[in-house]
């Protein structure tokens, strides 16, 4: 069975969360579990997935399936379909959360890290949405939550690949939302500012940038709570946190040359070291 060919009525719907073993992904899983939704958590580490599974089921009476998988693999969709089929499941909601951050001046970055960032943040996100969307349309319900970022609002030196990938996510999701509007499927983009997670710490721990020092950070739980509420109420775009919402609205209306200048100011620092990498 493939999701693209439709789903038998006997299967049970789940919320699929990529990068669901930690950080924002785990927080989204907790939020949906609190609503009584069964889950399929996907991440690369089987050990961390097992820990997340045990933690959620200890707090919520829901079924939590886990699958250790790199979603950038060529056969990722087939592996997901096989896992769903074996448990009699289909995907009602896809939370496209898994992401990668590579930081540093472009000339200092490893080419493989750049490719890996685009493969995960852009290609895998689009592939999974494309794969599971036909089943949602056939059932006339469900939807996709995309994790973008404040960084996706403007080009950011030393975060060029990450920021551009999040710009793609926002644009892709907004166009997809228009296409599925008449089919009962919801598409919501969640664009947090800095969130205290492993991904943030990998890129900004002990960082001297204004972005790291001045921008308020939110908890992953807060982002997930606001994001899920926005999705359930059919919102197109959610920017958790008042300061973040104001910043994103401002970046959309001010001339781009000023937006780029603000971006350079936020990310500027005294010394540029080598690249750093984080993944959620």
């Amino acid at each position: 069975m493939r999701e693209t060919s439709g789903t038998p009525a006997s299967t049970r719907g789940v919320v699929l969360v990529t990068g669901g073993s930690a950080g924002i992904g785990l927080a989204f899983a907790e939020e949906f579990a609190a609503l009584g939704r069964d889950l399929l958590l996907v991440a690369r580490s089987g050990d961390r997935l097992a820990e997340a599974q045990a933690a959620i089921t200890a707090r919520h009476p829901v079924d939590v399936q886990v699958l250790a998988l790199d979603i950038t693999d060529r056969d990722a969709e087939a592996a997901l379909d096989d896992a769903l089929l074996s448990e009699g499941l289909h995907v009602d909601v896809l939370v496209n959360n898994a992401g990668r951050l590579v930081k540093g001046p472009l000339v200092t970055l490893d080419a493989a890290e750049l490719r890996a960032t685009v493969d995960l943040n852009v290609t895998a996100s689009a592939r999974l949405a494309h794969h599971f969307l036909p089943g949602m349309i056939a059932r006339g319900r469900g939807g996709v939550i995309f994790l973008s970022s404040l960084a996706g609002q403007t080009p950011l030196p030393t975060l060029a690949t990450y920021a551009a990938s999040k710009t793609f996510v926002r644009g892709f999701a907004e166009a997809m939302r228009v296409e599925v509007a008449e089919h009962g499927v919801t598409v919501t983009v969640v664009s947090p500012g800095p969130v205290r997670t492993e991904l943030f710490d990998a890129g900004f721990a002990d960082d001297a940038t204004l972005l790291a020092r001045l921008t308020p950070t939110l908890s992953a739980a807060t982002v997930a709570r606001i994001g899920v509420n926005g999705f359930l109420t059919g919102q197109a775009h959610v920017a958790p946190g008042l300061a973040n919402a104001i910043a994103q609205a401002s970046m959309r209306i001010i001339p781009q040359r000023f937006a780029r200048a603000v971006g350079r100011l936020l990310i500027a620092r005294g010394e540029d070291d080598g690249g750093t990498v984080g993944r959620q």
Side-chain angles (χ1 to χ4, degrees), residues 65-145:
Q65 299 293 322
V66 298
L67 177 63
L69 176 70
D70 187 336
I71 60 172
T72 65
D73 289 347
R74 176 189 295 183
D75 299 325
E77 291 95 330
L80 285 165
D81 283 340
D82 290 342
L84 291 163
L85 177 61
S86 68
E87 298 294 332
L89 305 174
H90 66 264
V91 174
D92 265 340
V93 178
L94 168 64
V95 182
N96 252 329
N97 162 77
R100 184 182 183 94
L101 181 150
V102 59
K103 180 175 179 288
L106 193 62
V107 295
T108 71
L109 301 180
D110 181 76
E113 298 294 352
L114 289 180
R115 287 193 296 270
T117 300
V118 174
D119 285 347
L120 182 60
N121 295 8
V122 174
T123 308
S125 179
R127 280 173 51 191
L128 292 187
H130 174 261
H131 184 69
F132 291 114
L133 187 61
M136 297 174 187
I137 291 175
R139 292 184 293 272
R141 66 175 187 273
V144 184
I145 298 174

Side-chain angles (χ1 to χ4, degrees), residues 94-279:
L94 168 64
V95 182
N96 252 329
N97 162 77
R100 184 182 183 94
L101 181 150
V102 59
K103 180 175 179 288
L106 193 62
V107 295
T108 71
L109 301 180
D110 181 76
E113 298 294 352
L114 289 180
R115 287 193 296 270
T117 300
V118 174
D119 285 347
L120 182 60
N121 295 8
V122 174
T123 308
S125 179
R127 280 173 51 191
L128 292 187
H130 174 261
H131 184 69
F132 291 114
L133 187 61
M136 297 174 187
I137 291 175
R139 292 184 293 272
R141 66 175 187 273
V144 184
I145 298 174
F146 288 89
L147 264 293
S148 184
S149 172
L150 171 62
Q153 301 299 315
T154 189
L156 289 177
T158 75
L159 281 175
T161 308
Y162 177 76
S165 72
K166 293 304 183 179
T167 301
F168 169 87
V169 167
R170 189 189 72 235
F172 181 83
E174 290 177 352
M176 179 176 156
R177 178 182 173 88
V178 175
E179 293 183 8
V180 302
E182 298 180 357
H183 298 286
V185 177
T186 301
V187 178
T188 297
V189 183
V190 180
S191 297
V195 182
R196 187 58 67 178
T197 63
E198 293 174 6
L199 184 73
F200 180 87
D201 288 341
F204 294 99
D206 302 321
D207 200 308
T209 63
L210 284 175
L211 179 65
R213 290 188 287 119
L214 299 182
T215 308
T217 59
L218 296 176
S219 70
T222 297
V223 171
R225 175 178 52 80
I226 296 172
V228 170
N229 181 69
F231 172 75
L232 295 177
T233 55
Q235 296 180 41
H237 189 258
V238 179
L242 179 60
N244 177 42
I246 293 172
Q248 295 201 39
S250 300
M251 296 295 268
R252 285 203 173 201
I253 62 175
I254 65 175
Q256 277 298 299
R257 65 181 183 276
F258 293 128
R260 289 192 291 269
V262 171
R264 287 194 295 272
L265 179 64
L266 286 174
I267 211 69
R269 57 181 296 162
E271 297 181 0
D272 284 322
D273 50 15
T276 57
V277 177
R279 177 165 173 161

